[in-house]
Amino acid sequence: MRKPIRIGIVGAGNVGRVLAVMLSSSGYYVEAVTGKSPHNIQIDNYSAYEINGDFGNKQYLVRVLADIEDMSDDLDVIFVCTKIFDGIGNLKTLRPKIGPNCSVVTIHNMFWMDRVATVVDPNNMVCMYLDFSCVTVGKKTFVKNSDGIKLGVVRKEAFEKLELVHDILSNVCIVKDTNDIVGLAISRNIINVAISALGAISGMRLKDILLDRNGRYLFCKIIEEEMALFKKIKIKVLPYDGKLDYNLFLKKSISGRLYKRKYMRLLIKNNGNIVSSALRDFELGRKSELIVLLNNFLKTAGFNGVSVPYLREIYEMLCQISKNERRISENAFYDKNLVKIGDKK
């Protein structure tokens, strides 16, 4: 008889809360490492978490721990749901808890998988990409689902670990496996970085960004610079959601312009009210993953000799906003330093 599956969650923020409630309420043993929060109602060693939205309305008392060191040594799966700037430090602390048969599941975006692999044996790594979003308001976490969860591995030796994680998560949402998790993650992040960066410096919705002449221009330039780097380092970028082909989007021809116009209209129609996921961090003065991600991107571009002037300038603007040296402004797209880049060409 197989022993019950034991699951650990490091980081019970928005995503961690959702997984903790969904998995606990499905009958799995779950223990979560979480920090102090006014949103946590703690009873002995349990916290009451509540989720609402596309995964249903659920409330559950989740077993919580103060520190990673307090986690059990015999966990079958550990989900790491921290911010990327905390991830490597947490993984180093977690390393003694990772047995040979333990699956370590990390949420992925650009320039993160290689760093995880320096800390965790790739044979234990399962990469997860989320096609759902969640936000905590008060004591409730609200979920908006697009297409569940995507899973992949960087080594075929970890496929058995992936199968276990797939079986577990399939009990709570849609799960799909991909044989190119790098290409998938990058395809999602290319457009997400453009939306997040421009939304963070301007405070504008995607619709307003794309209806603004300079906003539309910068949106395309950011995607162009990202694609230039991935082409240089020979990473094949998959079409976004299997539909938006970035190469066609950037093609300098009549067919390319028509293709670009078509997808701009679709983005405005279907996703126009999207607001930068990073905007709230900058408004509240919190450390932003976007700055870390862009910093890693710029370092990689510099190392490979790829010029990315627009992303470099937008990164500087975001750093100034984070230091209260600059305001989020609807006029950001007309900043003199951004305009100068175009004038030099």
Side-chain angles (χ1 to χ4, degrees), residues 216-228:
R216 188 165 58 247
Y217 175 80
L218 291 170
F219 183 82
C220 295
K221 282 297 178 182
I222 289 173
I223 292 175
E224 185 179 309
E225 290 183 354
E226 291 176 287
M227 286 294 290

Side-chain angles (χ1 to χ4, degrees), residues 38-104:
H39 303 316
N40 296 345
I41 304 171
Q42 192 157 338
I43 303 171
D44 295 327
N45 293 323
Y46 292 81
S47 281
Y49 293 151
E50 182 177 355
I51 65 170
N52 293 81
D54 290 345
F55 290 162
N57 302 330
K58 302 176 186 290
Q59 190 171 29
Y60 211 86
L61 282 174
V62 176
R63 185 181 290 100
V64 295
L65 307 170
D67 299 296
I68 291 175
E69 289 87 347
D70 298 325
M71 295 180 77
S72 301
D73 294 321
D74 59 346
L75 296 170
D76 298 290
V77 180
I78 302 174
F79 291 93
V80 181
C81 304
T82 60
K83 299 287 189 181
I84 59 173
F85 43 75
D86 292 326
I88 295 300
N90 285 324
L91 284 167
K92 288 179 179 178
T93 306
L94 185 63
R95 193 157 40 187
K97 305 286 183 180
I98 304 171
N101 298 315
C102 179
S103 303
V104 180

Side-chain angles (χ1 to χ4, degrees), residues 82-270:
T82 60
K83 299 287 189 181
I84 59 173
F85 43 75
D86 292 326
I88 295 300
N90 285 324
L91 284 167
K92 288 179 179 178
T93 306
L94 185 63
R95 193 157 40 187
K97 305 286 183 180
I98 304 171
N101 298 315
C102 179
S103 303
V104 180
V105 187
T106 51
I107 302 171
H108 280 279
N109 51 38
M110 294 188 293
F111 311 112
W112 170 239
M113 296 178 197
D114 289 346
R115 296 185 67 201
V116 173
T118 64
V119 181
V120 177
D121 186 340
N123 292 343
N124 293 88
M125 283 174 54
V126 177
C127 309
M128 178 170 68
Y129 192 92
L130 305 179
D131 274 325
F132 69 84
S133 59
C134 46
V135 62
T136 301
V137 179
K139 295 178 172 61
K140 294 181 182 179
T141 301
F142 295 90
V143 180
K144 177 67 176 175
N145 183 36
S146 175
D147 196 24
I149 289 173
K150 307 292 189 302
L151 298 175
V153 294
V154 294
R155 280 198 188 166
K156 62 181 180 180
E157 289 82 2
F159 187 72
E160 189 175 330
K161 310 286 195 310
L162 179 146
E163 287 185 312
L164 173 61
V165 177
H166 183 115
D167 290 346
I168 292 169
L169 292 174
S170 292
N171 291 315
V172 300
C173 68
I174 296 171
V175 182
K176 298 175 184 176
D177 301 335
T178 174
N179 59 7
D180 188 358
I181 190 67
V182 175
L184 173 74
I186 287 176
S187 76
R188 296 291 204 275
N189 277 277
I190 283 175
I191 199 165
N192 290 342
V193 164
I195 295 170
S196 293
L198 294 177
I201 63 173
S202 69
M204 295 165 68
R205 298 174 299 173
L206 177 58
K207 174 172 35 178
D208 300 318
I209 292 170
L210 297 182
L211 289 175
D212 181 280
R213 180 173 60 85
N214 275 23
R216 188 165 58 247
Y217 175 80
L218 291 170
F219 183 82
C220 295
K221 282 297 178 182
I222 289 173
I223 292 175
E224 185 179 309
E225 290 183 354
E226 291 176 287
M227 286 294 290
L229 175 58
F230 296 126
K231 182 178 181 180
K232 180 66 181 288
I233 60 181
K234 295 180 168 57
I235 289 180
K236 180 182 177 182
V237 178
L238 301 179
Y240 181 85
D241 206 21
K243 299 173 183 175
L244 171 55
D245 186 316
Y246 291 110
N247 291 307
L248 289 177
F249 186 85
L250 297 173
K251 194 173 182 180
K252 299 184 184 303
S253 65
I254 293 175
S255 62
R257 288 196 292 272
L258 291 174
Y259 187 86
K260 183 185 298 182
R261 188 180 302 170
K262 170 188 170 183
Y263 272 95
M264 290 280 196
R265 287 172 178 168
L266 285 173
L267 286 169
I268 291 170
K269 178 182 176 181
N270 299 329

Side-chain angles (χ1 to χ4, degrees), residues 308-321:
V308 288
Y310 285 102
L311 276 169
R312 192 171 296 281
E313 184 57 40
I314 288 170
Y315 169 76
E316 294 298 332
M317 293 168 72
L318 290 170
C319 288
Q320 291 169 11
I321 290 171

